[in-house]
Amino acid sequence: MLGRVNHIAIAVPELGPAAALYRDLGASVSAPADLPDHGVRVVFVDLPNTRIELLEPLGDASPIAAFLTRNPKGGIHHVCFEVEDIDDATRRLAALGKRLLGDGTPRIGAHGHPVLFLHPADMLGTLIEIEQPSLA
Ligand SMILES: CC[C@H](C(=O)O)C(=O)SCCNC(=O)CCNC(=O)[C@H](O)C(C)(C)COP(=O)(O)OP(=O)(O)OC[C@H]1O[C@@H](n2cnc3c(N)ncnc32)[C@H](O)[C@@H]1OP(=O)(O)O
Ligand SMILES: [Co+2]
């Protein structure tokens, strides 16, 4: 079921300095993009074998606000795995008893592809995102 690591997300209190840090390391960093439906502002750090997704809260109801209250300097927020067929993966994960966050159906993520999140309590204390990077 699980394919490549599509990205590793780091939640930060301020995107500007975080993006500058990775630029100073010589990485290619995208311009910020607001994702109001997801309550975050995001930039992507391109790496040879995956990406870092830097996340800043956007709006009062950001799903990463509580995380940053617990981790005021920021921290690793989630890992995103690619799947070939997110509908099949959703069914299989639900059958395995994994809690699917939100309304339990995939939503369009930062790359314009369907994504879904699994509750950290069911995934060894780690928030897991799955993404279908291409049309099934
Ligand atoms: C989709 C666009 C973009 C993309 O890649 O395309 C993104 O990735 S956007 C990313 C932001 N969106 C999300 O994270 C959506 C899914 N997340 C959630 O629904 C919440 O963050 C949730 C429910 C996982 C946690 O919400 P919150 O922290 O407000 O709830 P609690 O304080 O009750 O926490 C419950 C429990 O989970 C632990 N927790 C919370 N966040 C994390 C985390 N990132 N990693 C590991 N564990 C986490 C928290 O400590 C609590 O643990 P407990 O033992 O019960 O105290
Ligand atoms: Co993500």
Side-chain angles (χ1 to χ4, degrees):
M1 182 185 337
L2 299 182
R4 287 180 350 114
V5 172
N6 180 277
H7 61 270
I8 296 170
I10 299 174
V12 295
E14 273 194 277
L15 211 44
L21 183 150
Y22 278 93
R23 281 197 190 94
D24 290 349
L25 296 178
S28 160
V29 181
S30 74
D34 286 1
L35 301 178
D37 290 352
H38 295 280
V40 293
R41 175 170 294 138
V42 59
V43 300
F44 280 95
V45 179
D46 289 324
L47 300 171
N49 66 332
T50 190
R51 278 177 283 201
I52 302 286
E53 179 182 77
L54 298 173
L55 299 168
E56 177 188 85
L58 181 67
D60 299 335
S62 175
I64 68 170
F67 179 90
L68 283 168
T69 303
R70 289 190 296 271
N71 306 277
K73 291 189 172 59
I76 292 180
H77 185 260
H78 64 270
V79 177
C80 180
F81 294 108
E82 293 182 357
V83 293
E84 276 188 22
D85 180 336
I86 198 163
D87 293 325
D88 173 59
T90 302
R91 281 190 295 274
R92 291 168 67 184
L93 289 161
L96 288 167
K98 306 303 180 191
R99 277 168 285 182
L100 310 175
L101 296 176
D103 66 4
T105 60
R107 295 172 61 200
I108 297 303
H111 305 122
H113 300 139
V115 302
L116 192 72
F117 287 89
L118 308 177
H119 200 287
D122 300 333
M123 298 300 291
L124 307 174
T126 306
L127 180 61
I128 297 295
E129 178 183 9
I130 58 173
E131 175 175 336
Q132 178 183 310
S134 56
L135 291 177

